[in-house]
Amino acid sequence: MGVLEIFPEKNTNWSKENLELMLIDLGADSMEEVGATLLVFFSPANFQNAYKNILNKSCVVETIYYTYAPKTIVQISEESALKIKNFLQELEAHDDVQDVYNNIATL
């Protein structure tokens, strides 16, 4: 998935509502507000073209990156989640590991 991080308050030429509508028109799959940041998700096939069009519309983009998004989420118990969390922390601490992704949600 392609992700854009946008701060709506830095886009003074766009109201928040118009900014979101423009992003939808350009093919945004979903959006999520995290504090003052608007995370905008695009399919990989549409990402580069959408990014160019957003810049052409004088929209200020803070960060652009690709990430993995699970197609399915696995539900697990709290007990199993603790074991997996410990394992993932050990894995992330390893020098040769850069990023760790999972598709786990606790019950």
Side-chain angles (χ1 to χ4, degrees):
M1 270 220 130
V3 182
L4 300 176
E5 290 184 8
I6 298 173
F7 293 104
E9 69 273 0
K10 288 189 178 181
N11 286 283
T12 55
N13 54 336
W14 293 90
S15 70
K16 184 178 174 192
E17 183 178 304
N18 285 338
L19 178 64
E20 290 175 355
L21 290 173
M22 181 265 295
L23 293 166
I24 291 168
D25 287 343
L26 291 175
D29 291 333
S30 62
M31 289 179 246
E32 179 182 335
E33 284 187 57
V34 179
T37 306
L38 181 62
L39 299 177
V40 187
F41 300 92
F42 291 89
S43 68
N46 189 28
F47 188 48
Q48 289 297 323
N49 190 41
Y51 177 62
K52 288 176 188 173
N53 285 325
I54 289 167
L55 293 180
N56 287 338
K57 293 182 180 284
S58 301
C59 182
V60 178
V61 176
E62 289 297 315
T63 310
I64 174 174
Y65 58 93
Y66 284 98
T67 190
Y68 292 103
K71 292 184 180 183
T72 58
I73 302 291
V74 177
Q75 297 287 333
I76 61 172
S77 67
E78 289 289 331
E79 182 181 323
S80 295
L82 184 58
K83 291 177 185 176
I84 292 172
K85 180 181 177 185
N86 291 335
F87 171 73
L88 293 176
Q89 286 175 340
E90 287 181 32
L91 190 61
E92 288 174 341
H94 194 281
D95 291 339
D96 293 332
V97 176
Q98 293 179 356
D99 294 313
V100 177
Y101 300 92
N102 67 72
N103 64 338
I104 298 171
T106 56
L107 294 173

